[in-house]
Amino acid sequence: MNEISQALQIDEGAPVAWHCHRDDSVGIAMRDLEKGEDVAISGASVQLLDAIPAGHKFALKEHASDDEVIRYGAPIGKASRAIAIGQHVHSHNLASALSGELDYGAFEPAPAASGAIERGALADWQGYRRADGRFATRNEIWLLPTVGCVAPLVEMVAREAAEIHRGKLDGIIGFGHPHGCSQLGDDLSGTRDVLAALCDNPNAGGVVLVGLGCESNQLDDLVALVPARSRSKLRTMRAQEAGDEREQLLSIIGELVEMLAPLERERAPASALTVGLKCGGSDALSGLTANPLLGRFSDALAAASGKLLLTEIPEIFGAEDALLARSSSPAVFSAGGELVNRFKRYFLDQGLPVSENPSPGNIAGGITTLEEKSLGAVQKGGRAPLVDVVDYGGTAELPGLTLLEAPGNDAVSSTALAAAGATMILFTTGRGTPLGFPVPTVKVSSNSRLAASKPGWIDFDAGRVLTEGQDAIDHAFADYVNAVAGGRPTQAERTGQRVISIWKRGVTL
């Protein structure tokens, strides 16, 4: 599905049009193309019947109404009207074919991937070894509120403590959220689960859980859910019981700083990395440059026995067959199919279509259907074996690729990745966003224009693949990831753009 059959280069070294896969019935404009322009692609010349914006599709063959349109070697929907060779292919003549839940059939062992990456392709890095043997990319103190009522307090005191103890740790951060009370059942459980899992992230060398006192999400219940290996780093405070809550929090933080400040980085193998994979604000190049770059890195990390996390379940709809085909066992195959169908049911129970995606920004960038978006998005996981499926608030424990339950929303899914143990997130984008999350979030632009226009947002330019070649950029990216793992701050860290967001699924009392 990731095979690139041809890219036509112009004098400046940038491609004019791209044919993603030999079976594709559309080409991709790599710059704005004029009506009447002749475009050479895959050994043929196509005269354009429409102007084609950069990143958008044009037909390479005739399509009758209801014919499948093929990109990445797979259907991305059906023609909603006849499409002539050279016409613009987008939302006016292409529609999603997604409907509801599917029967994914029986498990079949995946064939061995050809051209497997050898172990040792990724270098060691410098990390913090925790008492339980895990490695962290940062040595930080996190303040987490049990309930939204004390979220501003947590954020205010964290900022003050960060100034007091500047330079002693990698960070002291307060992560506010509005939940933890007026919730019931599974909704409240989800809030507890994800907060408890965040407490377990290795990057948090110390965690201060701050409660109000009267909330539904009681401190004792939350602490009981934190894995035993992380209990010793927890400190708690109930604001209603404290005298001067600010002074008490500053005192607690000071004790944690004294404990954590002497820790130094040491050599860590690639297998000690746990990386979350995310995309947001995608464009038509995301599936050509940035996501395949992450896919090749994922292959190398999986070969080194590192852990990878893939989520955004609604942005797998239409591409799940290819992902499930890499399942390591019948149990994983079954769990993956059940998770995708459960998420579809989540949409259908609200009376919403499962195809209500892409976003307006995606569409403006050239992505037409959810199938097209999904087929580009799943490339972040490369060819790594799918070894596990975990529920929201769960933790990745196995080397290889784990599928994590969470929606596509950037903040919600990235928080879930950190809660599942990711000590770094690789985040591809074609439109750009300044937002960062609890763990270092490397923003990877799909196009060089975005990287040049938003240097304060973007950490790595994957658009360089088009002019500098795949091998050179793969090596540069691996080096950059190692540097960030070893302490180089991301743009979001530099600007303080770090948040959490909890998935709210139930009623509010």
Side-chain angles (χ1 to χ4, degrees):
M1 186 174 68
N2 298 335
E3 177 184 346
I4 295 174
S5 58
Q6 180 176 4
L8 180 67
Q9 302 293 321
I10 60 174
D11 292 342
E12 294 81 7
V16 171
W18 202 298
H19 198 198
C20 302
H21 188 280
R22 62 179 176 270
D23 296 331
D24 286 2
S25 62
V26 292
I28 310 301
M30 303 302 284
R31 61 165 171 80
D32 291 339
L33 301 176
E34 301 294 330
K35 179 179 179 180
E37 187 171 348
D38 289 319
V39 176
I41 184 169
S42 290
S45 180
V46 175
Q47 185 176 57
L48 300 179
L49 302 182
D50 301 307
I52 312 296
H56 285 239
K57 298 174 290 297
F58 58 93
L60 299 179
K61 57 167 284 188
E62 301 279 349
H63 296 78
S65 180
D66 213 37
D67 279 356
E68 288 184 334
V69 176
I70 308 298
R71 185 182 178 189
Y72 303 117
I76 60 170
K78 293 186 176 182
S80 56
R81 64 179 72 169
I83 305 173
I85 295 173
Q87 280 192 320
H88 185 203
V89 179
H90 201 35
S91 50
H92 61 289
N93 56 12
L94 172 61
S96 170
L98 294 176
S99 54
E101 298 170 78
L102 296 174
D103 180 355
Y104 295 107
F107 169 75
E108 295 182 7
S114 60
I117 296 174
E118 295 181 1
R119 292 176 180 270
L122 296 180
D124 291 345
W125 55 287
Q126 295 292 313
Y128 297 101
R129 187 193 293 270
R130 298 303 185 195
D132 58 23
R134 295 181 296 165
F135 277 88
T137 63
R138 297 293 183 268
N139 188 31
E140 297 181 330
I141 295 171
W142 293 356
L143 278 68
L144 297 172
T146 62
V147 65
C149 306
V150 288
L153 169 67
V154 156
E155 294 174 336
M156 176 188 70
V157 174
R159 287 192 294 269
E160 184 175 358
E163 286 298 318
I164 293 171
H165 301 290
R166 180 176 293 275
K168 298 178 182 177
L169 302 175
D170 292 322
I172 301 173
I173 307 98
F175 292 110
H177 64 84
H179 306 301
C181 208
S182 300
Q183 292 179 277
L184 298 170
D186 291 342
D187 195 35
L188 178 60
S189 295
T191 295
R192 284 190 182 130
D193 288 343
V194 80
L195 289 173
L198 283 169
C199 292
D200 188 45
N201 189 288
N203 282 14
V207 178
V208 185
L209 286 172
V210 182
L212 179 61
C214 57
E215 65 272 23
S216 301
N217 186 23
Q218 285 288 297
L219 262 175
D220 291 345
D221 295 333
L222 177 55
V223 170
L225 291 176
V226 176
R229 64 188 175 189
S230 290
R231 300 266 178 85
S232 63
K233 68 179 179 181
L234 295 183
R235 304 293 184 271
T236 63
M237 188 198 80
R238 290 177 175 84
Q240 289 175 341
E241 297 176 4
D244 186 326
E245 67 277 0
R246 173 184 159 276
E247 287 297 330
Q248 187 168 333
L249 276 177
L250 288 174
S251 176
I252 292 171
I253 293 168
E255 293 173 4
L256 286 171
V257 170
E258 186 176 344
M259 179 182 73
L260 294 170
L263 195 62
E264 296 183 353
R265 291 182 182 271
E266 58 182 271
R267 187 171 178 174
S271 61
L273 273 176
T274 302
V275 174
L277 305 169
K278 175 75 180 84
C279 53
S282 300
D283 68 356
L285 295 189
S286 294
L288 300 181
T289 58
N291 290 344
L293 173 64
L294 262 61
R296 295 188 294 273
F297 177 85
S298 295
D299 289 342
L301 186 57
S305 298
K307 299 185 185 74
L308 297 148
L309 284 153
L310 184 68
T311 186
E312 304 177 277
I313 305 304
E315 296 180 18
I316 292 173
F317 295 171
E320 63 264 40
D321 285 333
L323 181 62
L324 294 176
R326 288 150 45 194
S327 298
S328 59
S329 70
V332 171
F333 178 84
S334 177
E338 288 173 4
L339 173 55
V340 173
N341 274 336
R342 186 165 75 240
F343 226 110
K344 289 180 178 179
R345 176 51 50 190
Y346 171 62
F347 278 65
L348 296 171
D349 285 347
Q350 309 302 317
L352 299 172
V354 300
S355 58
E356 197 64 27
N357 202 334
S359 70
N362 297 150
I363 294 169
I367 297 173
T368 308
T369 64
L370 180 51
E371 295 100 309
E372 182 179 12
K373 185 175 183 179
S374 296
L375 286 162
V378 298
Q379 294 185 70
K380 299 191 299 292
R383 298 167 296 165
L386 182 64
V387 297
D388 203 4
V389 178
V390 298
D391 292 341
Y392 179 70
T395 303
E397 301 290 353
L398 301 176
L401 182 66
T402 292
L403 185 61
L404 170 67
E405 180 187 24
N409 177 273
D410 290 351
V412 174
S413 57
S414 295
T415 300
L417 289 169
T423 54
M424 175 188 297
I425 293 172
L426 305 179
F427 187 117
T428 66
T429 180
R431 311 285 292 180
T433 175
L435 200 58
F437 307 102
V439 297
T441 305
V442 177
K443 298 289 177 55
V444 181
S445 67
S446 66
N447 61 84
S448 297
R449 178 201 54 78
L450 174 60
S453 66
K454 291 294 187 182
W457 293 3
I458 300 301
D459 297 290
F460 192 89
D461 175 16
R464 294 162 53 198
V465 169
L466 301 176
T467 53
E468 298 179 37
Q470 178 177 302
D471 290 344
I473 300 307
D474 285 357
H475 284 99
F477 184 64
D479 289 345
Y480 189 86
V481 170
N482 266 16
V484 171
R488 177 172 177 168
T490 64
Q491 296 295 354
E493 288 178 293
R494 288 190 179 97
T495 57
Q497 298 274 351
R498 298 177 65 183
V499 302
I500 65 170
S501 185
I502 296 172
W503 190 14
K504 179 80 175 77
R505 289 172 284 180
V507 299
T508 299
L509 294 177

